[in-house]
Amino acid sequence: MSSIPPQPPVKRGRRKQARPGELLEAALDLFVEKGYAATRVEEVAARAGVSKGTLFLYFPSKEELFKAVVRENISGRFGEWEQTLASFTGTCSEMIEYAFSAWWERIGSTKANGLGKLMVSEANNFPEIAQFYRTEVVLPGQELIRRIFRRGIESGEFRDIDLEYAIYLVQAPLMQLDLMNSSRVICVVNPDNFDPHKYLKMHADNLLAGLRPRAA
Amino acid sequence: MSSIPPQPPVKRGRRKQARPGELLEAALDLFVEKGYAATRVEEVAARAGVSKGTLFLYFPSKEELFKAVVRENISGRFGEWEQTLASFTGTCSEMIEYAFSAWWERIGSTKANGLGKLMVSEANNFPEIAQFYRTEVVLPGQELIRRIFRRGIESGEFRDIDLEYAIYLVQAPLMQLDLMNSSRVICVVNPDNFDPHKYLKMHADNLLAGLRPRAA
Amino acid sequence: MSSIPPQPPVKRGRRKQARPGELLEAALDLFVEKGYAATRVEEVAARAGVSKGTLFLYFPSKEELFKAVVRENISGRFGEWEQTLASFTGTCSEMIEYAFSAWWERIGSTKANGLGKLMVSEANNFPEIAQFYRTEVVLPGQELIRRIFRRGIESGEFRDIDLEYAIYLVQAPLMQLDLMNSSRVICVVNPDNFDPHKYLKMHADNLLAGLRPRAA
Amino acid sequence: MSSIPPQPPVKRGRRKQARPGELLEAALDLFVEKGYAATRVEEVAARAGVSKGTLFLYFPSKEELFKAVVRENISGRFGEWEQTLASFTGTCSEMIEYAFSAWWERIGSTKANGLGKLMVSEANNFPEIAQFYRTEVVLPGQELIRRIFRRGIESGEFRDIDLEYAIYLVQAPLMQLDLMNSSRVICVVNPDNFDPHKYLKMHADNLLAGLRPRAA
DNA sequence: TATGAATGAGAGTTCATTCAT
DNA sequence: AATGAATGAACTCTCATTCAT
């Protein structure tokens, strides 16, 4: 419609408009790293390069900041993802493998990783936001998996399994990887020499082998 | 309407022996439910039926209380378990299945469930405890799994897999189940109608199918 | 009147009758050493070899314990002392010297030393007991000194000085010595090699020299 | 009778520069008056006209506040004094008299008076501070006195005395005066009619008379 | 808008005091 | 009389939140 006006050269790289975003980014880092309670708003503000007072200009309370962080980082990535899978041409096994690597690229290896841990930790303190996470992340994710499985079963590529429990075959390794990245020291055998790709490959591989139709 | 009967004076119980246990139980519940920071010592004391001051008679600080909870609920559960598996006669597949159900009976379905979540949540705030948990729980558990796998591979019952990553094939579902029980609302499709046994059966079943030697 | 019944052999050296005394003794030690607030009643009880509850059987509160300690340790030593001085035959200088050494023997070198410091420290928190100390110790002591000085002046042995201020010429060194013994590290040049007798000799000597009548 | 005028909203002052000083002043007053333990930080804050939290903006703990009070009121008062005495021209007797009156002007009659009592009272609870006070105040003060005495002895103005004990001839009256001002009720005969100048004059006078060389 | 000094409710901890045994 | 487990008020210290500038 209208022609795009020439963008003014970005001065200083920190415009006022960027403030909330910088705060959210800093908050995400700290919430994931230290948990909700142990994160002090002053620290968030400091990391975003503003004063404590300024933070409260954008977010009315620590609680709202937290909710905003969660919302910001899980917003509608699934629509796009679903589309990709819908138009995917290939076997269901390839779809599963693709889903694993896509998860890693879009979630596991990004800032969004650790959100799972955060939700697990804080779900009881923030039921509302937990519900939001469930609706926006968990259920759509599970639906994605369910659809792939259903297709695989119908096409005879996978054996006939209880869909509602099969979901967790995919979810469990991804969730564990989320937690591992947050507190590697707890779960990982050799924290300094852990390769997430190998981890995912192993899981996908064994999962798919197990899913093959069995001889009577 | 009816007059309130005179409250009998609060009995000052005298149960030095029983107190620590009651406090630890209350603390476990609350720590698992609300996290470390959100749990107030006064609340723990109240749930154990004593006053705030009494708690400090038995535990010198909130942190020591937390440590005691972890120790109480973890130590000594592993030795026994290792013995059982060491003297187990049967196929490796049966051992894996046994391990799953034994975990459920001794950990997953007990108060000790949720401790995994607790550790994941608080590991960064209590490196010392996290290290303790890693040494006393995670690593021994992994060694147990490793041993079974090694035996299965050597006997030809399992295909040849990378042991160091295979471990997680067992660990991931158990950890997820620990988390699920703590914040079921987040991960589970239908929280009111979830059967842990089916969950574990599905996982064990698919895992073992995937582990079978493959045709060249 | 009645014949004294044969004393039963003292068993165990700790009769019930001794309790209050032992508590007072322990309390004196601790109050002097650590001050009122920093002394815990449990510690007092422990040092007296009884339980905390027992202490409260004899003294209704920490405050009353404190008052009892002070009262106990300053009770009527002055009557006896006054008598001694009244019947003293010798010069006033000798009386002053005697007073110094008597103070050392009866107060300075005994448990009662440190009470001065205690009163100085706590006077504002215990006005009532401070008043008591003033009445029972400070004023009688000053009166003693005043009487000696007056006699010395009248007899021409001392020069004519303002009695009301002269008093402090005697009081100051004794008070300093009381404080020194309590917190030697603060005031004393060489704490490990300090001789109270030399200290007192020096003060008495110079004081008396200064008191001699002066040539016009 | 008359209506209460509406209270103006509490002014939130903004005087970062002035705060520490005001807090230190309030703290000095209260510590001297009531002792360390009996002084509540909230009270200090209130006397300085700020809230409890504000105090902790400037001093990280009660202990550090205490230390700061001692440092604030001691440091830097001695250097100047030493200079003055070094360049003093006059007899040693005049120097002693000058020292007495200088002490009164710079310490005894100021806020710094009472610090001696404070140190005596709390020395056992704060060995570190006591050491500091000893090093920074007591020992330099004693050295000052020692130097005057040595000079007086060498010039024949004073008789030959043991320097190490003579020091206390000067220190004792000053210390007593410090204590008197803090808890006058204890030591002083007639608290409402006490003249520190007369007190000091009396002491200086008698001290110097006593120091005069004696006939063989 | 942005600041940061100031606030005050709330948490962990101590310890004089109580009271069932 | 004696005990010591239990209490709870009081204290120090923290930190989310406010508000004058």
Side-chain angles (χ1 to χ4, degrees), chain C residues 59-71:
Chain C
F59 304 95
S61 70
K62 186 185 182 182
E63 196 165 331
E64 287 303 323
L65 172 65
F66 179 77
K67 292 179 183 174
V69 165
V70 178
R71 284 201 193 89

Side-chain angles (χ1 to χ4, degrees), chain D residues 110-167:
Chain D
T110 72
K111 289 253 164 188
N113 184 70
L115 266 178
K117 178 203 154 185
L118 194 53
M119 288 314 307
V120 163
S121 303
E122 304 299 341
N124 288 316
N125 299 118
F126 296 91
E128 184 193 339
I129 292 277
Q131 194 55 48
F132 172 79
Y133 184 77
R134 177 178 160 82
T135 310
E136 297 287 316
V137 180
V138 178
L139 296 186
Q142 293 178 330
E143 179 53 24
L144 226 57
I145 302 168
R146 192 180 289 115
R147 218 178 301 157
I148 301 177
F149 276 170
R150 192 177 291 128
R151 190 158 131 186
I153 295 170
E154 281 168 5
S155 73
E157 190 178 345
F158 296 157
R159 63 187 173 91
D160 191 22
I161 48 175
D162 184 339
L163 269 185
E164 291 318 302
Y165 287 84
I167 290 167

Side-chain angles (χ1 to χ4, degrees), chain C residues 83-158:
Chain C
Q83 297 255 324
T84 310
L85 276 174
S87 62
F88 194 92
T89 63
T91 66
C92 286
S93 293
E94 284 165 350
M95 284 174 83
I96 294 281
E97 275 171 340
Y98 174 77
F100 269 58
S101 73
W103 179 88
W104 175 250
E105 269 168 42
R106 300 176 190 217
I107 308 281
S109 66
T110 72
K111 291 250 164 187
N113 181 69
L115 263 181
K117 178 202 153 184
L118 201 52
M119 288 316 304
V120 163
S121 303
E122 304 298 339
N124 290 304
N125 296 320
F126 297 90
E128 173 203 336
I129 204 74
Q131 191 57 46
F132 176 75
Y133 183 78
R134 178 176 159 81
T135 309
E136 297 287 318
V137 180
V138 180
L139 296 186
Q142 293 179 330
E143 180 53 23
L144 226 57
I145 301 167
R146 190 181 290 114
R147 215 177 302 156
I148 301 175
F149 276 171
R150 190 177 291 128
R151 188 157 133 187
I153 295 169
E154 282 167 4
S155 74
E157 189 179 347
F158 296 158

Side-chain angles (χ1 to χ4, degrees), chain A residues 33 117 119 121 124-125 134 138 142 159 165 168 172 176 185-189 195 206-207 209-210 214, chain B residues 33-34 119 121 124 134 138 142 159 165 168 172 176 179 185-189 195 206-207 209-210 214:
Chain A
E33 183 187 342
K117 178 201 153 184
M119 289 315 305
S121 303
N124 289 305
N125 295 320
R134 177 177 160 81
V138 180
Q142 293 179 328
R159 63 187 172 90
Y165 288 85
Y168 307 117
Q176 191 187 32
V185 76
I186 286 193
C187 325
V188 182
V189 180
D195 181 351
N206 207 71
L207 167 62
R214 300 175 182 180
Chain B
E33 182 187 342
K34 317 175 72 154
M119 289 313 308
S121 302
N124 288 315
R134 176 178 161 81
V138 178
Q142 293 178 330
R159 65 186 171 91
Y165 288 85
Y168 306 117
Q176 192 187 30
L179 300 175
V185 75
I186 287 191
C187 322
V188 182
V189 180
D195 180 351
N206 206 71
L207 167 62
R214 299 174 183 180

Side-chain angles (χ1 to χ4, degrees), chain B residues 111-125:
Chain B
K111 290 250 166 190
N113 184 69
L115 268 178
K117 178 202 153 185
L118 194 54
M119 289 313 308
V120 164
S121 302
E122 305 297 343
N124 288 315
N125 299 117

